[in-house]
């Protein structure tokens, strides 16, 4: 153990003098945090003229604001949420939430949300009650509103869970409404000519598939059958064809296998493309499906279930036998509660259980060729996954089947193939790849990453070639500090005609021609030279959609050292970048209008709320601030300012951190420090720290109460994660002391999960801290190594051998590393008071890890308090628990760092009182 309380560092830092700012108004209270409004879901009309967005507080009632992008008109929908806006901006629909007070009062028969429909012509609002979901037609002329089922129907649904509910179909301009009963599923076509819907009613007599003609305004039956079940309603993109599955169910509501059909709107004919009894051996066609037309409408992808899994849905309860033989061995053991864990199981039992629904319902994809009227199965048990593509030749397939067992300790891998759509024949691209494979839009090439290099696979010739090995820049992650394979930075996109693929390094964007001619650095090395990270903003471009050869690209930028953001432009076929917008702020692209040049983005800083800004185009030549929330932060509260500092770790590594000082900072005064961290936090220099009640400290709440908040980066070492964290962070604390900012007797440390572990470990190595809060920590790596992540069902072994915990070896191979990185073994060295918090339903870190830390500290009479929150996961979710923890966290730091208050729960604890 080493002490850094009075340690003199070899480097000398001159004290920085900062002028005091005007006195701020006050401390950000817990009530202020609960009332603090945030902008949520944002929708931009297709013509770019209107924006709808949520404004909701951390706790309480909110609204949807609707604003013209020219700033002249604003309307509000009280209690509005999840807004949707028509392409022409004429109408906005939003859920109408139940007031919180009303919801809290209701013990039974909870009130249901409604819907508000607002006209942007005059701000008038039409209300609808009891609304489950809603959707506009593509052109925005029609609104389909699915209601909750009535109480009577809900009672019946306990038997038939497929029962539909009422849909109100409204023409938004005329206000004419049509009522459709017992709708199970519905879908508008892309041309806004039809609403397809299926019915499952209480009598089973009217079950069927119908289309409502939006031009003739009448319903037409497509296919009707007693006890029929029609689902997966899927329109093609432009050709007015509707694909669907059809099954039936019996009097026990057990469902049959399904068939697949296509209805042609032009001819009004229904064709069967797959019968219910079709399929390869071992597979079954079911209503549990996913239908997807390719963009050209020539192919339809669908899926088969495993036949044994499908059979589980057809099981019926055996008839009861009134006679009971109390000594019948088979009857007795049938009621056993047992899981058998076998050493050869591909998945361990907990993972098998958590994965059960996805395993049972997994779809093995196939394709139907409409021109040939033939189908081809593409996936099977050996290669279960298919990536759907729109080209007519191939898709990618993958399989982790060979590596299921070693997933427990080594992580996730896949074999990747390309699969011929005509024959289903598959060809191996790469084995045991840790990264994905990227197929070109026309299906001629595939790009993949392996062993720190990128390869281009020519599908026609079946050969691959390394395309990055001759370049003198790395294309692997330069900051990777895990004991796993080094990942890449990703594919940026493809050039039309499959001419080239664009790939990222850490800073720049490269273009690699598929004819293997010389690559082009599109950003001309400007990123690496300036330490500025460039990435392409796709705007409205779908991932599989290629870029034009000479397309002008919008780039986002982030300066790796200065931490500021911006927008740049570049050309896809040449080198060079142009600055469009860049400041000491953070910019976030929000949306571009579908049919106009209008662009929405956000601008923020630590002390600037991320309001919505609008630009007339993505060159940002004319910009305006559209929303004006929280422009009085410094007037209302002692909000503070954020700045960047740097230091050297104990072994000489360059490290940065953020320091947030109060507005009334006095350079002649030393402050208590609240340190919060995880790994890299300095990219948050210009982030607005949204006040939220949760397990994280609200920075402005501490700063406004005259703390200084410190957010350091951490540089880890494989095999020594705890020591590396200590060597990174403690010199940063010493830097604050030397700068005259920190009071060396008022130093606080806070971490949760991975940084909860670091906090628990760090206080075993240094006595520099005066109070520590450790949320959901691992305290004993030897016991945690073979524990379970209950949320995923995965064993924790891979986390230590390959990922976050960074030991890099098994417990058997390196027991000393597990011990020396475990704070529980050094609890006797701790001198820092520590508050531990854990939810006892944590699915990520077993909560007994906190028990171990508590018991170890208690054994050696250390100052420790453990908060066990009941039925809470890794991050507390119940608002009462979140608020309680936030209050206690603040009280804890106040008590030990400021000498404020004497909370009895800290000084005396709290005795258990039974029910």
């Amino acid at each position: 153990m080493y002490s850094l309380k009075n340690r003199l560092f070899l480097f000398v830092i001159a004290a920085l003098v900062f002028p005091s700012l005007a006195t701020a108004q006050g401390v950000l209270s817990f009530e202020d945090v609960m009332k603090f409004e945030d902008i949520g879901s944002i929708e931009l009309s297709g013509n770019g003229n209107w924006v709808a967005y949520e404004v909701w507080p951390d706790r309480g009632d909110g609204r949807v604001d609707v604003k013209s992008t020219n700033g002249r008109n604003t309307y509000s929908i009280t209690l509005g949420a999840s807004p949707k806006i028509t392409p022409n901006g004429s109408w906005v629909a939003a859920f109408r939430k139940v007031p919180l007070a009303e919801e809290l009062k209701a013990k039974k028969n909870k009130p249901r949300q409604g819907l508000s429909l607002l006209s942007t012509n005059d701000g008038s609002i039409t209300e609808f009650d009891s609304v489950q979901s809603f959707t506009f037609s593509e052109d925005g002329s029609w609104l389909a509103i699915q209601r909750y089922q009535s109480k009577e129907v809900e009672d019946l649904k306990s038997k038939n869970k497929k029962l539909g509910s009422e849909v109100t179909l409204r023409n938004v301009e005329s206000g004419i409404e049509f009522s459709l009963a017992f709708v199970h599923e519905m879908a508008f076509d892309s041309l806004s000519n039809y609403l397809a819907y299926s019915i499952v009613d209480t009598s089973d007599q009217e079950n069927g598939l119908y289309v409502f003609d939006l031009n003739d305004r009448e319903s037409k039956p497509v296919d009707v059958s007693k006890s029929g079940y029609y689902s997966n309603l899927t329109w093609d993109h432009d050709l007015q064809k509707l694909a669907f599955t059809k099954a039936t169910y019996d009097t026990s509501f057990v469902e049959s296998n399904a068939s697949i059909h296509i209805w042609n709107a032009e001819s009004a004919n229904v064709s069967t493309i797959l019968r219910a009894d079709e399929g390869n051996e071992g597979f079954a066609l079911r209503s549990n499906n996913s239908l997807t037309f390719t963009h050209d409408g020539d192919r339809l992808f669908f899926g088969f279930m495993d036949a044994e899994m499908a059979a589980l849905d057809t099981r019926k309860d055996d008839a009861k036998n009134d006679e009971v033989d109390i000594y019948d061995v088979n009857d007795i053991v049938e009621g056993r509660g047992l899981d058998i864990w076998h050493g050869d199981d591909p998945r361990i039992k907990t993972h098998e259980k958590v994965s059960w629904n996805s395993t049972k319902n997994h779809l093995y994809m196939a394709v139907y060729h409409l021109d040939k009227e033939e189908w081809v199965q593409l996936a099977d048990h050996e290669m279960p996954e298919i990536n759907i593509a729109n080209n007519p030749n191939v898709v990618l397939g993958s399989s982790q089947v060979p590596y299921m067992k070693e997933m427990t300790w080594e992580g996730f891998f896949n074999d990747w193939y390309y699969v011929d759509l005509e024959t289903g024949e598959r060809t191996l691209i790469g084995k045991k790849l840790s990264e994905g494979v990227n197929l070109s839009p026309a299906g001629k090439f595939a790009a993949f990453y392996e062993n720190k290099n990128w390869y281009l696979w020519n599908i026609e010739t079946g050969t691959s070639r390394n395309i990055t090995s001759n370049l003198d820049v790395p294309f692997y992650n330069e900051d990777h500090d895990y004991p796993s394979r080094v990942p890449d930075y990703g594919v940026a996109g493809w050039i039309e005609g499959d001419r080239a693929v664009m790939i990222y390094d850490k800073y720049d964007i490269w273009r690699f021609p598929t004819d293997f001619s010389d690559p082009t650095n599109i950003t001309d090395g400007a990123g690496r030279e300036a330490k500025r990270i460039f990435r392409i903003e796709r705007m409205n471009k779908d991932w599989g959609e290629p870029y034009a050869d000479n397309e002008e690209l919008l780039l986002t930028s982030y300066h790796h050292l200065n931490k500021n953001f911006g927008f740049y432009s570049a050309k896809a076929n040449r080198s060079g970048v142009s600055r469009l917008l860049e400041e000491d702020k953070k910019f976030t692209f929000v949306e571009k209008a579908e049919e106009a040049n209008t662009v929405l983005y956000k601008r923020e800083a630590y002390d600037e709320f991320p309001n919505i800004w609008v630009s007339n185009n993505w060159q940002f030549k004319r910009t305006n601030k559209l929303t004006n929330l929280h422009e009085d932060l410094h007037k209302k509260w002692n909000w503070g300012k954020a700045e960047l500092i740097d230091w050297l770790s104990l072994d000489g590594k360059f490290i940065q951190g953020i320091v947030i000082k109060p507005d009334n900072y006095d350079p002649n005064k030393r402050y208590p420090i609240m340190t919060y961290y995880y790994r890299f936090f300095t990219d948050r220099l210009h982030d607005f720290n949204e006040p939220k009640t949760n397990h994280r400290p609200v920075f402005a709440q501490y700063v406004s109460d005259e703390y200084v908040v410190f957010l350091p980066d951490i540089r880890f070492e494989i095999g020594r994660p705890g020591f590396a964290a200590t060597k990174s962070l403690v010199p940063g604390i010493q830097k604050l002391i030397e700068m005259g900012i920190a009071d060396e007797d008022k130093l606080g440390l806070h971490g949760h999960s991975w940084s909860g572990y670091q906090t628990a470990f760090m206080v075993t190595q240094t006595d520099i801290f005066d109070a520590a809060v450790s949320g959901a920590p691992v305290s004993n790596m030897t016991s945690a190594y073979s524990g379970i992540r209950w949320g995923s069902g995965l064993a924790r072994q891979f986390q230590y051998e390959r990922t976050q915990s960074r030991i890099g070896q098994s417990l058997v191979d390196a027991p000393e590393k597990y011990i020396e990185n475990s704070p529980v073994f050094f609890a006797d060295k701790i001198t820092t008071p520590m508050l531990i918090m854990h939810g006892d339903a944590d699915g990520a870190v077993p909560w007994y890890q906190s028990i171990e830390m508590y018991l170890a500290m208690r054994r050696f009479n250390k100052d420790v308090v453990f908060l066990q929150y009941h039925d809470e996961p890794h991050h507390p979710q119940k608002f009462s628990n979140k608020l309680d923890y936030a209050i206690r966290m603040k009280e804890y730091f106040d008590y030990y760092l400021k000498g404020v208050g004497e909370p009895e729960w800290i000084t005396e604890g709290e005795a258990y009182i039974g029910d």
Side-chain angles (χ1 to χ4, degrees), residues 618-632:
W618 66 261
Q619 282 78 25
F620 304 97
K621 293 180 178 176
R622 198 167 68 241
T623 64
N624 290 294
K625 191 176 184 180
L626 195 63
T627 62
N628 298 282
L629 272 69
H630 305 301
E631 295 190 321
D632 55 355

Side-chain angles (χ1 to χ4, degrees), residues 44-50 85-89 592-597:
L44 176 64
S45 64
N47 61 9
N49 292 339
W50 289 90
I85 190 166
T86 57
N88 62 6
K592 179 188 173 296
E594 289 283 353
E595 307 297 335
N597 294 322

Side-chain angles (χ1 to χ4, degrees), residues 171-190:
N171 183 280
V172 292
E173 293 297 336
S174 68
I176 294 176
E177 294 182 354
F178 300 86
S179 181
L180 311 174
F182 294 107
V183 174
H184 172 77
E185 188 178 331
M186 60 182 175
F188 284 109
D189 74 304
S190 62

Side-chain angles (χ1 to χ4, degrees), residues 508-555:
D508 291 300
I509 307 167
W510 294 75
R511 172 174 168 148
F512 292 89
T514 52
D515 63 4
F516 301 112
S517 55
D518 290 340
T520 302
N521 190 322
I522 292 173
T523 48
D524 202 24
R528 186 165 293 274
E529 181 179 358
K531 306 301 181 189
R532 183 177 281 113
I533 297 171
F534 290 115
R535 295 294 182 259
I536 296 175
E537 173 54 58
R538 300 185 69 85
M539 293 190 279
N540 295 335
K541 194 180 291 289
D542 293 333
W543 173 246
E545 187 179 351
Y547 291 92
D549 185 59
N550 63 344
E551 187 163 337
E552 196 169 1
L553 307 171
L554 172 62
L555 309 182

Side-chain angles (χ1 to χ4, degrees), residues 63-131:
R63 66 187 185 277
V64 162
D65 283 347
V66 181
K67 199 162 192 172
S68 60
T69 52
N70 61 19
R72 294 173 188 164
N73 297 294
T74 302
Y75 306 112
S76 286
I77 300 174
T78 303
L79 299 170
S82 304
K84 297 295 179 185
I85 190 166
T86 57
N88 62 6
S90 296
W91 299 90
V92 176
F95 286 118
R96 185 183 73 251
K97 293 295 184 180
V98 177
L100 180 59
E102 187 178 331
E103 187 175 332
L104 294 173
K105 285 179 187 175
K107 302 298 182 184
K108 294 182 179 179
N109 298 322
K110 293 279 187 181
R112 288 170 166 173
Q113 67 184 2
L115 180 76
S116 298
L117 177 64
L118 180 141
S119 167
T120 58
N121 182 51
D122 57 9
S124 60
I125 295 176
T126 305
E127 303 281 9
F128 303 87
D129 293 329
S130 190
V131 174

Side-chain angles (χ1 to χ4, degrees), residues 467-663:
I467 57 176
T468 55
S469 59
N470 293 328
L471 297 172
D472 59 357
V473 298
F475 284 82
Y476 55 85
N477 190 310
E478 298 178 40
D479 297 303
H480 188 69
D481 55 11
Y482 302 89
S484 59
R485 296 183 186 181
V486 183
D488 60 274
Y489 289 103
V491 169
W494 293 83
I495 302 300
E496 63 184 357
D498 287 3
R499 290 192 185 97
V501 61
M502 296 184 290
I503 296 175
Y504 296 123
D505 71 19
K506 178 174 180 177
Y507 297 104
D508 291 300
I509 307 167
W510 294 75
R511 172 174 168 148
F512 292 89
T514 52
D515 63 4
F516 301 112
S517 55
D518 290 340
T520 302
N521 190 322
I522 292 173
T523 48
D524 202 24
R528 186 165 293 274
E529 181 179 358
K531 306 301 181 189
R532 183 177 281 113
I533 297 171
F534 290 115
R535 295 294 182 259
I536 296 175
E537 173 54 58
R538 300 185 69 85
M539 293 190 279
N540 295 335
K541 194 180 291 289
D542 293 333
W543 173 246
E545 187 179 351
Y547 291 92
D549 185 59
N550 63 344
E551 187 163 337
E552 196 169 1
L553 307 171
L554 172 62
L555 309 182
T556 60
S557 71
Y558 165 68
H559 199 286
H560 187 58
L561 295 179
N562 298 337
K563 316 300 179 184
N564 65 309
F565 294 73
F567 295 110
Y568 282 68
S569 67
K571 281 273 196 174
N573 63 347
R574 67 180 68 165
S575 294
V577 294
S578 299
R579 181 185 286 114
L580 301 174
L581 179 64
E582 189 175 38
E583 300 178 40
D584 284 333
K585 306 280 185 182
K586 179 176 182 178
F587 293 96
T588 306
F589 186 87
V590 175
E591 188 175 358
K592 179 188 173 296
E594 289 283 353
E595 307 297 335
N597 294 322
T598 307
V599 160
L600 299 181
Y601 65 99
K602 289 184 177 182
R603 190 184 83 177
E604 66 184 284
Y606 166 74
D607 59 346
E608 179 181 339
F609 180 82
N611 278 295
I612 303 171
W613 289 65
V614 61
S615 174
N616 63 323
N617 57 42
W618 66 261
Q619 282 78 25
F620 304 97
K621 293 180 178 176
R622 198 167 68 241
T623 64
N624 290 294
K625 191 176 184 180
L626 195 63
T627 62
N628 298 282
L629 272 69
H630 305 301
E631 295 190 321
D632 55 355
L633 296 174
H634 292 289
K635 292 180 181 179
K636 292 179 71 174
W637 299 292
N638 190 356
W639 198 269
K641 291 279 188 180
E643 61 189 59
L644 200 62
I645 67 167
D646 58 72
W647 63 93
L648 298 178
S649 72
L650 285 181
D651 45 11
K653 294 177 182 176
F654 176 78
I655 298 184
Q656 293 177 295
I658 298 169
V659 176
I660 308 172
K661 301 175 182 176
D663 287 338

